[in-house]
Amino acid sequence: MIYPYECEKCEEDFDITKDYRDAARLEYCLVCGNLLKRLWTRTEIIGAKVEEAEFNHGLGCVTTSKNHRNEIAKRKGLVEVGNTKTDTIHKESEYTLNKKLSWENV
């Protein structure tokens, strides 16, 4: 997870990446050594589930929910790979390629 911090002494901002189990660990300013203040991020309630905004390394941006992640992936022409069967992935890939080729021939 990426956690935003700020130094109240030198007014520097930092994004610190650490495991969620280490979220309570104190962090110190890299510039002046002062104790950093953690800035709290917006959370969203989706049904009965709370999700925090997080940086998605695969998409290269911050996502706030599974639906948001899927929207961004769709805009970028990406398909999430996971439990999807290989045949389904190949069919989707072939369909997308044919669609792009048909637009190029217009």
Side-chain angles (χ1 to χ4, degrees):
M1 299 281 301
I2 297 176
Y3 298 94
Y5 286 86
E6 79 174 350
C7 178
E8 293 178 331
K9 185 176 179 182
C10 66
E11 298 181 351
E12 289 289 326
D13 292 330
F14 299 95
D15 286 333
I16 298 177
T17 304
K18 56 185 171 179
D19 192 277
Y20 73 93
R21 292 174 290 231
D22 297 329
R25 185 182 71 216
L26 299 176
E27 300 294 340
Y28 295 89
C29 181
L30 301 173
V31 177
C32 71
N34 192 45
L35 183 64
L36 293 175
K37 176 184 174 187
R38 181 169 169 199
L39 304 174
W40 295 95
T41 57
R42 176 180 75 101
T43 59
E44 289 189 10
I45 298 176
I46 301 171
K49 184 176 172 185
V50 176
E51 289 192 28
E52 286 187 20
E54 65 182 6
F55 185 80
N56 184 298
H57 294 280
L59 296 174
C61 63
V62 175
T63 59
T64 57
S65 67
K66 185 174 182 177
N67 287 339
H68 185 227
R69 184 179 70 231
N70 290 340
E71 282 177 25
I72 294 169
K74 186 175 180 179
R75 272 188 271 143
K76 292 185 175 195
L78 302 173
V79 176
E80 185 174 358
V81 179
N83 295 334
T84 307
K85 293 182 180 180
T86 308
D87 292 341
T88 304
I89 294 171
H90 289 296
K91 286 177 186 175
E92 289 177 6
S93 177
E94 187 176 318
Y95 172 79
T96 303
L97 178 62
N98 288 334
K99 190 174 179 180
K100 286 181 180 179
L101 290 174
S102 68
W103 280 100
E104 289 177 2
N105 292 332
V106 173

